[in-house]
Amino acid sequence: MKKLSAKIQDDDADDWKPAPVPDTSSLAALAKAARSCTACHLYKRATQSVFGEGPKRARLILLGEQPGDQEDLAGKPFVGPAGKLLDRALEEAGINRDEVYVTNTVKHFKWEPRGKRRIHQKPNSREIAACRPWLEAELRLVRPKLLVCLGATAAQSIFGPSFRVTRERGKVLESEIAPRVLATVHPSSLLRQPDEESRQREYAHFVADLRAALKASR
Ligand code: URA
């Protein structure tokens, strides 16, 4: 695990440029190029970039926030606790994960040390802007029928900071970056519910949003 002081990260936070995306029609070539991305400072503390995964002809793209601790180590999106819950909800909604393309708004894990733990930090607008060309390239190559934003970071990166997932969830909306977009909550929000009753209620609502996404992608 890389050791960097919080100070280094703060000093570098304003230093960014748009990610250098190669001109290619290959998702594998994009993922390879993203491995050496230094467009913002997040690469310094992350183990590796975590690029999107899934078939090029996927009808759905699922967009999360950023890789978490386990994703950072595995180099794959949504393989940790939130990913396991997402897998269960996808299955219940009748969506085969192998047929969707899963990616993140920001491709490096942003974290701060707390004791021995790596604590997730929300990416800021500069980090999201630096990473944006990768998402644009993924959308250009996959051309999904529907982009599904999981949580506020993903949805606000598409619609702007005033977008509220609570108000707009489950609706098919238009955006500049993708013609059809549906926003829902992030699966990690289900893990943070205070009791079993709200967990079940929120999970059922999430599955219903995924069913709506499947219908809209047909
Ligand atoms: N949360 C995300 O937004 N993306 C991941 O890949 C894992 C957790």
Side-chain angles (χ1 to χ4, degrees):
M1 196 182 292
K2 292 184 189 173
K3 280 199 177 158
L4 284 172
S5 73
K7 180 87 171 57
I8 292 172
Q9 192 154 1
D10 286 343
D11 286 349
D12 289 354
D14 283 331
D15 183 16
W16 70 275
K17 53 195 176 294
V21 172
D23 184 14
T24 176
S25 59
S26 156
L27 283 169
L30 277 185
K32 185 166 178 232
R35 278 185 227 144
S36 45
C37 185
T38 58
C40 77
H41 65 112
L42 293 181
Y43 76 95
K44 295 180 186 174
R45 191 172 272 189
T47 306
Q48 58 194 317
S49 66
V50 177
F51 208 69
E53 266 191 5
K56 194 172 175 187
R57 288 289 156 246
R59 300 170 78 87
L60 279 173
I61 289 188
L62 303 185
L63 179 65
E65 182 191 85
Q66 61 163 332
D69 182 75
Q70 294 194 26
E71 288 80 12
D72 170 79
L73 298 172
K76 290 170 171 294
F78 281 105
V79 292
K84 294 203 168 56
L85 192 56
L86 175 65
D87 286 350
R88 183 152 76 86
L90 284 172
E91 196 180 337
E92 211 162 315
I95 299 172
N96 183 347
R97 175 157 173 173
D98 293 341
E99 291 174 7
V100 301
Y101 186 87
V102 181
T103 192
N104 281 300
T105 307
V106 168
K107 279 24 175 191
H108 281 114
F109 179 35
K110 181 178 183 182
W111 61 278
E112 288 211 344
R114 195 173 304 156
K116 287 192 174 154
R117 296 183 60 211
R118 303 194 299 169
I119 304 299
H120 160 276
Q121 300 281 301
K122 225 171 154 53
N124 64 37
S125 56
R126 294 176 298 275
E127 292 146 3
I128 291 171
C131 219
R132 177 70 158 219
W134 295 120
L135 176 61
E136 287 173 356
E138 289 172 299
L139 284 163
R140 202 163 48 239
L141 263 54
V142 177
R143 289 194 290 118
K145 298 272 183 228
L146 188 74
L147 171 65
V148 179
C149 296
L150 302 173
T153 300
Q156 290 177 351
S157 81
I158 302 298
F159 294 111
S162 60
F163 186 87
R164 293 288 169 269
V165 172
T166 41
R167 235 177 11 229
E168 308 289 352
R169 70 184 289 182
K171 300 178 194 165
V172 178
L173 306 166
E174 270 180 38
S175 79
E176 279 171 16
I177 189 172
R180 299 170 82 237
V181 186
L182 181 146
T184 183
V185 296
H186 193 284
S188 66
S189 71
L190 309 173
L191 297 169
R192 292 193 300 267
Q193 292 299 313
D195 53 60
E196 188 54 28
E197 192 189 333
S198 52
R199 233 185 329 273
Q200 283 187 19
R201 187 185 58 239
E202 289 307 312
Y203 176 75
H205 197 170
F206 182 56
V207 171
D209 287 345
L210 293 177
R211 283 205 184 99
L214 176 63
K215 199 166 160 210
S217 71
R218 285 192 167 131

